[in-house]
Amino acid sequence: MLKIDALVYAGMVSLMVMGGVICYAVPVFWKRILRRHLIHEIKTLNQGLQLSSKAMSQLIDPENPYMVFADENGELDFSFLWLGNLRQLRRELRLIKEQKARV
């Protein structure tokens, strides 16, 4: 009877540990996937608009023109932006693209 109790206890502990890992890992990986998707969409929108990193930064915060950086190769770097800022930038780029399409 003690062996069965020990096995049941070990199984419950392992399930709780796996549940904890899953509860931590899923949101982390989901945010990474969402972040990559937003950055890809922003870069795609910006291909037609050709905005500089400073102009894109000012779309997020007019008083801080240094939120989006460009490295030596001209590749845009979004490492300092939160998901909310990335969503706002995507929304602003979509509005600009729609306004240019109307003209």
Side-chain angles (χ1 to χ4, degrees), residues 41-61:
E41 191 173 349
I42 288 169
K43 287 181 178 180
T44 303
L45 286 168
N46 194 37
Q47 283 178 351
L49 300 174
Q50 295 295 320
L51 294 177
S52 67
S53 60
K54 188 174 182 179
M56 290 175 71
S57 296
Q58 288 178 335
L59 287 175
I60 300 167
D61 183 4

Side-chain angles (χ1 to χ4, degrees), residues 48-79:
L49 300 174
Q50 295 295 320
L51 294 177
S52 67
S53 60
K54 188 174 182 179
M56 290 175 71
S57 296
Q58 288 178 335
L59 287 175
I60 300 167
D61 183 4
E63 296 178 6
N64 186 0
Y66 303 107
M67 294 180 81
V68 178
F69 293 95
D71 63 6
E72 299 84 27
N73 301 328
E75 186 72 24
L76 294 173
D77 180 13
F78 300 95
S79 57

Side-chain angles (χ1 to χ4, degrees), residues 3-4 10-12 18 25-27 30 32 38 42 49-50 53 56 59 63 69 76 80-81 86-87 91 94 96:
K3 288 183 181 183
I4 293 174
M12 287 178 17
M18 288 189 323
V26 167
W30 179 253
R32 280 189 192 167
L38 286 171
I42 288 169
L49 300 174
Q50 295 295 320
S53 60
M56 290 175 71
L59 287 175
E63 296 178 6
F69 293 95
L76 294 173
F80 293 106
L81 297 180
L86 289 171
R87 287 184 181 122
R91 186 171 43 250
R94 283 180 178 169
I96 292 172

Side-chain angles (χ1 to χ4, degrees), residues 21-32:
V21 168
I22 289 172
C23 287
Y24 170 76
V26 167
V28 169
F29 289 124
W30 179 253
K31 284 182 182 178
R32 280 189 192 167

